[in-house]
Amino acid sequence: MTGLSAKIASVEESQTLALTKQASQLKARGVDVVSLTAGEPDFATPEHVKEAAIRAIRDNFTHYTPNTGIPELITAIREKFASKNGLEFGPTQILVSCGAKHSIFNALLAICNPGDEVIIPAPYWVSYPEMAKIADGIPVVVPTTRESGFRLTPDALSGALTRRSKVLILNSPSNPTGSVYSRTDLEALAPVIESAGLYVIADEIYENILYDNLSHHSIGAIGALAGRVVTVSGVSKAYAMTGWRIGYMGGPAEVIGAAAKVQSQATSNANSIAQRAALAALTGPDDDVQRMVTEFRRRRDLFMSALNAIPGIVLDPPGGAFYLFPDVSAFVGSRAGDTVIAGDMQLSAYLLDQAKVAVVPGTPFGSPGYIRLSYACSVAEITKAASRLAGAFAELHHD
Ligand code: PMP
Ligand code: GLU
């Protein structure tokens, strides 16, 4: 037999990663590109975290660990879930993986049978539908609206349910919109989830990055949903540790057990040194996290006011994460010279070509007519990007 996997052929490459790579390659060729593609903090990993990793190497903590994670880290994660999220887990209900991305992947493989429907509110993080497909699930995209703050409503969820509905992926704070679900929003969704018998994968990786006095609420803490929710988080975003690749999840013992089995046949444990570093991050002081959030807020406000001054851009303040997700549909059908902007894909290509600013189009997030701009970069880069974008948008006109 010849030919590669038809399933994998039907899966898209991660567009956030592909566009980040494209921007880096242009930079390496000497092109002065401002890259607003990657969602990763530009801060350094905190010193005490780096020291813990160096100590781990010196202590020869460089061998396999238990598949599900080192016991000290599992304890720290349980304590964090209990004190910050109101979630009580036993030691067999935690799995440490190679990034939150890996946690979600393991959870979907553990939960889905072929043909099971995975409900994904749009705008969504680019990887959810593709991961669902790899797990033999069928992504069912449920649009949300600007009016509802891009949050899934109970009616929209009810409308998406079928006999095959199996799991809902809920992301708060959201990548790409920055929207944040309140406790009331989650309580309103709970009866629909419960009566449909859905599992929930709650992706809370941005839980620490919140603005405007908003607070984070975990849907797993709603009593009626006990036994249905897998809560995913990690150290990548809050502690500027994207390269260390440590994520984790807590959930029903049977789901975690099945996910651990998947992991035992794929990667074994997450990196031993990075687990020690994650332990230092979770049990150490939080000052660095607070400093980063304060700085992100400053950048958000600066970038928002610059973009809002561009006629045609429609943008609401994001409550969390570090992305702006403006509606740019006013520019669809416009042109600059011979370049016609047929949609957000062409607009993003035009902005890269004309302004040398790399952004991610809305289409891979399930939202044509939008673009995503990460502000996890320096104020100097934001200022440069804002002025270049203003120039490039000003060139666009409708006939
Ligand atoms: N979920 C969302 C919504 C994200 O934006 C990211 C960022 N890559 C992840 C999960 C995965 O994070 P990581 O694998 O770096 O822990
Ligand atoms: N989560 C980040 C983003 O959306 C990092 C890249 C990725 O894993 O998608 O840009």
Side-chain angles (χ1 to χ4, degrees), residues 236-270:
S236 288
K237 313 290 171 172
Y239 303 97
M241 290 177 69
T242 47
W244 299 76
R245 311 307 303 129
I246 296 288
Y248 55 83
M249 61 183 164
E254 69 279 9
V255 179
I256 298 299
K261 187 158 67 174
V262 174
Q263 178 161 305
S264 79
Q265 297 294 10
T267 62
S268 306
N269 57 274

Side-chain angles (χ1 to χ4, degrees), residues 64-380:
Y64 293 135
T65 76
N67 172 40
T68 57
I70 55 174
E72 314 86 281
L73 180 56
I74 289 178
T75 302
I77 291 168
R78 289 172 60 209
E79 281 167 5
K80 179 262 169 203
F81 272 136
S83 64
K84 299 226 168 107
N85 307 89
L87 298 168
E88 299 290 340
F89 294 118
T92 59
Q93 291 182 275
I94 304 291
L95 176 61
V96 178
S97 301
C98 311
K101 193 180 232 175
H102 189 214
S103 302
I104 300 164
F105 191 78
N106 284 335
L108 282 167
L109 283 173
I111 290 171
C112 291
N113 279 308
D116 282 352
E117 292 178 355
V118 180
I119 300 175
I120 304 172
Y124 48 72
W125 180 41
V126 295
S127 291
Y128 299 146
E130 308 312 308
M131 287 184 183
K133 287 194 247 168
I134 296 173
D136 290 330
I138 298 177
V140 173
V141 172
V142 184
T144 63
T145 60
R146 193 175 156 226
E147 292 66 45
S148 69
F150 296 113
R151 283 168 298 193
L152 180 68
T153 60
D155 282 350
L157 176 58
S158 297
L161 294 173
T162 73
R163 273 186 314 110
R164 301 307 307 260
S165 304
K166 185 69 169 285
V167 51
L168 164 69
I169 305 185
L170 208 62
N171 176 213
S172 179
S174 152
N175 173 7
T177 64
S179 59
V180 177
Y181 285 72
S182 68
R183 173 96 192 172
T184 314
D185 294 328
L186 299 173
E187 279 169 351
L189 290 170
V192 185
I193 292 166
E194 194 191 356
S195 68
L198 296 179
Y199 282 107
V200 180
I201 297 177
D203 180 352
E204 305 186 356
I205 186 81
Y206 295 99
E207 63 182 309
N208 294 289
I209 304 172
L210 290 166
Y211 314 111
D212 308 330
N213 296 320
L214 287 170
S215 27
H216 174 71
H217 297 278
S218 291
I219 191 164
I222 295 178
L225 298 183
R228 302 198 172 285
V229 181
V230 177
T231 305
V232 175
S233 196
V235 294
S236 288
K237 313 290 171 172
Y239 303 97
M241 290 177 69
T242 47
W244 299 76
R245 311 307 303 129
I246 296 288
Y248 55 83
M249 61 183 164
E254 69 279 9
V255 179
I256 298 299
K261 187 158 67 174
V262 174
Q263 178 161 305
S264 79
Q265 297 294 10
T267 62
S268 306
N269 57 274
N271 177 295
S272 60
I273 300 152
Q275 287 191 65
R276 279 275 178 89
L279 175 63
L282 288 180
T283 54
D286 256 4
D287 328 9
D288 290 294
V289 183
Q290 293 322 319
R291 254 197 306 280
M292 279 192 259
V293 174
T294 305
E295 180 58 21
F296 282 141
R297 188 191 307 112
R298 187 166 84 93
R299 296 173 185 186
R300 177 197 70 159
D301 294 345
L302 177 79
F303 206 10
M304 283 248 333
S305 55
L307 290 187
N308 273 328
I310 299 176
I313 286 194
V314 179
L315 179 59
D316 298 316
F322 36 60
Y323 308 101
L324 298 181
F325 198 61
D327 177 345
V328 289
S329 54
F331 298 95
V332 174
S334 68
R335 61 168 70 234
D338 288 340
T339 307
V340 179
I341 307 297
D344 55 289
M345 304 292 280
Q346 290 80 7
L347 180 63
S348 301
Y350 165 76
L351 294 175
L352 182 57
D353 190 48
Q354 177 73 19
K356 304 285 179 280
V357 176
V359 304
V360 187
T363 296
F365 296 97
S367 296
Y370 288 77
I371 55 173
R372 191 193 79 172
L373 310 101
S374 162
Y375 52 89
C377 55
S378 70
V379 165

